[in-house]
Amino acid sequence: LQPDTLTVDKTQINTTDKYVGYKLDVENTTIPDVVNNGDIIRVYYVKDQFDYTVEYYYDGVIDDTKTETITATYQDVISTYTDKNITGYKLDRTENLPLTVSEVAENNIIRVYYIIDDGNTKTLSYTVEYYKDNVKVDLDTQIVSKTVQILQPDTLTVDKTQINTTD
């Protein structure tokens, strides 16, 4: 006579990460030690969590201080990122957006590229005042100004040939 119960050989049940992007659902999967004849053992898997990275480049150079690493579920579609534009730059392009999260880390990278915005300018100026007998000659005052890209330093080179020091 054969018993109605069987001892489960747990080595025969694959409880490792059997499916790409999935992991064993330990909350819903219980492997018993003994089962009745004809019982079904159900092994459940759920989508796993993976990191994706958003990298930010300014004029072609990565700024590691702005890089973000975020966790998402396998096959989630990521279509947004935090805008980290800084003054003087504008968005050029993104790469790998939208991103479908996979189990391969090097595929889970969104790259955001900013370039210098030549239209983002500031005006710099200096004034040349002329004095005659220690009295300012208002009509001779010159204001020199130049428009530069906002990332440029706040200094101007004085064109000495434009300053009348002989007359």
Side-chain angles (χ1 to χ4, degrees):
L1 225 105
Q2 295 291 331
D4 286 338
T5 59
L6 302 167
T7 301
V8 176
D9 182 358
K10 292 183 180 185
T11 64
Q12 297 297 311
I13 300 174
N14 185 355
T15 57
T16 60
D17 296 341
K18 180 177 175 102
Y19 304 105
V20 173
Y22 288 77
K23 65 181 178 181
L24 180 68
D25 183 356
V26 293
E27 291 183 19
N28 293 313
T29 300
T30 303
I31 309 296
D33 293 323
V34 176
V35 293
N36 293 318
N37 186 28
D39 279 355
I40 297 173
I41 299 172
R42 290 184 172 83
V43 181
Y44 294 93
Y45 289 85
V46 293
K47 289 182 179 182
D48 204 349
Q49 299 285 304
F50 296 96
D51 287 341
Y52 71 93
T53 304
V54 182
E55 298 175 343
Y56 296 87
Y57 295 79
Y58 300 87
D59 210 23
V61 178
I62 190 170
D63 184 343
D64 288 324
T65 65
K66 296 193 183 305
T67 297
E68 296 179 315
T69 301
I70 304 159
T71 301
T73 302
Y74 178 67
Q75 295 180 329
D76 276 359
V77 176
I78 310 301
S79 57
T80 62
Y81 59 90
T82 302
D83 184 14
K84 294 190 178 181
N85 192 8
I86 56 178
T87 300
Y89 289 87
K90 64 182 177 181
L91 179 66
D92 180 36
R93 70 184 190 283
T94 60
E95 290 179 358
N96 210 17
L97 188 73
L99 166 76
T100 300
V101 176
S102 77
E103 75 287 357
V104 182
E106 55 268 11
N107 293 342
N108 291 341
I109 302 172
I110 297 170
R111 291 179 180 89
V112 182
Y113 292 90
Y114 296 99
I115 57 173
I116 291 176
D117 182 358
D118 291 329
N120 196 341
T121 60
K122 62 184 173 185
T123 301
L124 304 177
S125 66
Y126 63 88
T127 303
V128 179
E129 297 177 340
Y130 293 92
Y131 290 81
K132 184 175 171 185
D133 293 328
N134 286 327
V135 176
K136 181 178 166 189
V137 181
D138 288 330
L139 291 175
D140 289 341
T141 298
Q142 295 172 279
I143 298 175
V144 178
S145 63
K146 181 178 181 182
T147 301
V148 298
Q149 204 277 338
I150 200 157
L151 296 174
Q152 296 298 314
D154 288 341
T155 58
L156 288 175
T157 302
V158 175
D159 183 356
K160 292 180 182 180
T161 65
Q162 297 298 312
I163 299 175
N164 186 353
T165 58
T166 59
D167 186 354

